[in-house]
Amino acid sequence: MVNQSVLKLAAEEIAQANLLVVLSGAGISKESGVPTFRDAQDGLWSRYDPQELATPAAFRRNPDLVWSWYMYRANLVSSAAPNPGHFALAELETVIPKIVILTQNVDGLHEQAGSNDIIELHGRLGRWKCFANCRGTPTVIDLAQIEYDAEHAPKCPYCTDRLRPDVVWFGEQLPTNALDRALEVAQQCDVMLVVGTSGVVEPAASLPQIARSAEAKVIEVNPEPSMITADANFFLQGKSGEILPALVEAVRAQA
Ligand code: BV8
């Protein structure tokens, strides 16, 4: 059970915020049935380290293996639905003047839940592009227009390279406009709410420190302490699907 007095203090900070920025990680989608990044991958993938598969080198080395891993994950995510944590953040938009969601997740569940201002820092599962970006960055290809299967990385219809998921791999730059805007709102926000991230992956993991050094209050929601917890003013320990609805209720009670 989350500490009620910490929840009330956090709700007071959010209720007074003009700009609330949310940084979300894989943990917010766990209660939607989407495995987190560092959970042991289920079944077929338990023998691979995701960090080894989510790289350009892995794709170059074995395009069909990486392609089928993303096909598997895209399929998993396509049957996932937002959970009460996602919906609570969408509802908060009716209470707080401005909310921006910075998500590390590639599952599209914030958008499905009805949040409006979302920055996808690491791209999106289910969007596919030419590895060479032969017709501009990104050269997105609609799979419905080509022949393909779940086991083999198909060829780009415009060049000889192969198709890949439109996600940011380790060692790749984040989309410039996404990162620039994330840095801007992290410096401007009154409160940053950090939900379900281990705080390991950079540069996203530095955003709470940036907010903190710009005088924002940092609130973390996580069942476990993370690399962010030391920078948090308030640590709400528990599952986001339970804590976020309670937090929104407490914010409404402040209004
Ligand atoms: C880059 C898309 C410039 C792919 C992902 C310093 C500066 C810059 C770069 C680096 C740096 N140090 C190291 C680097 C390199 C690297 C990096 O960060 N490595 C780490 C491992 C040390 N960063 C990069 O390469 C980035 N690029 O910076 O470009 C550059 C270029 C070249 C050379 C140098 C620099 C690109 C990083 C993007 C990688 N792509 N995803 C895909 O999905 O396949 S990252 C991947 O990890 C996912 O997006 C995931 O969201 C993200 C972060 O993980 P989390 O979301 O935190 O998930 P995790 O499983 O770790 O934790 C889950 C948490 O949820 C836990 O805390 C758990 O307790 C909690 N939880 C569990 N249940 C619940 C819950 N919380 C709430 N409720 C629950 N019920």
Side-chain angles (χ1 to χ4, degrees):
M1 188 60 183
V2 69
N3 181 318
Q4 291 301 315
S5 54
V6 179
L7 183 87
K8 188 168 177 302
L9 288 170
E12 283 166 9
E13 294 295 342
I14 293 175
Q16 294 162 36
N18 287 312
L19 171 59
L20 169 69
V21 167
V22 179
L23 174 65
S24 68
I28 197 171
S29 296
K30 181 144 184 202
E31 291 156 88
S32 294
V34 179
T36 63
F37 216 74
R38 281 158 193 80
D39 267 351
Q41 295 291 330
D42 318 345
L44 181 61
W45 302 107
S46 53
R47 64 180 184 278
Y48 296 105
D49 170 1
Q51 248 156 247
E52 293 304 307
L53 285 176
T55 69
F59 185 78
R60 278 283 177 240
R61 221 177 13 254
N62 190 337
D64 292 347
L65 172 67
V66 176
W67 174 264
S68 46
W69 184 50
Y70 280 94
M71 275 275 143
Y72 162 77
R73 287 176 60 197
N75 185 37
L76 197 71
V77 159
S78 65
S79 56
N83 65 61
H86 296 105
F87 288 120
L89 294 179
E91 187 195 334
L92 209 47
E93 290 187 3
T94 62
V95 188
I96 306 294
K98 182 65 185 153
I99 297 184
V100 178
I101 307 245
L102 310 179
T103 189
Q104 300 173 84
N105 299 340
V106 293
D107 56 32
L109 291 179
H110 284 297
E111 188 179 328
Q112 271 188 58
S115 288
N116 289 298
D117 194 343
I118 304 163
I119 298 176
E120 294 183 323
L121 297 170
H122 295 160
R124 182 70 167 268
L125 267 182
R127 195 169 56 228
W128 311 90
K129 66 181 181 183
C130 166
F131 190 95
N133 280 326
C134 61
R135 296 214 167 172
T137 301
T139 300
V140 176
I141 303 291
D142 177 0
L143 291 192
Q145 307 301 321
I146 64 164
E147 295 282 309
Y148 73 96
D149 62 51
E151 284 76 42
H152 305 93
K155 285 219 182 341
C156 168
Y158 304 117
C159 74
T160 57
D161 218 320
R162 293 184 181 272
L163 300 192
R164 55 164 284 183
D166 188 15
V167 297
V168 181
W169 278 334
F170 289 99
E172 292 186 320
Q173 302 274 4
L174 274 60
T176 317
N177 49 354
L179 184 56
D180 290 350
R181 182 146 185 260
L183 291 167
E184 190 187 322
V185 297
Q187 286 163 41
Q188 289 169 349
C189 66
D190 305 298
V191 176
M192 180 176 280
L193 177 58
V194 184
V195 184
T197 181
S198 58
V200 166
V201 172
E202 294 292 355
S206 299
L207 292 167
Q209 280 159 329
I210 291 170
R212 187 77 197 260
S213 51
E215 310 298 313
K217 289 286 191 297
V218 175
I219 302 164
E220 184 184 22
V221 176
N222 198 317
E224 319 278 334
S226 73
M227 300 285 281
I228 307 290
T229 312
D231 281 320
N233 299 87
F234 306 98
F235 178 51
L236 301 173
Q237 187 155 14
K239 294 180 177 179
S240 47
E242 294 162 10
I243 290 194
L244 291 178
L247 187 59
V248 173
E249 204 181 308
V251 171
R252 282 194 182 289
Q254 301 285 332

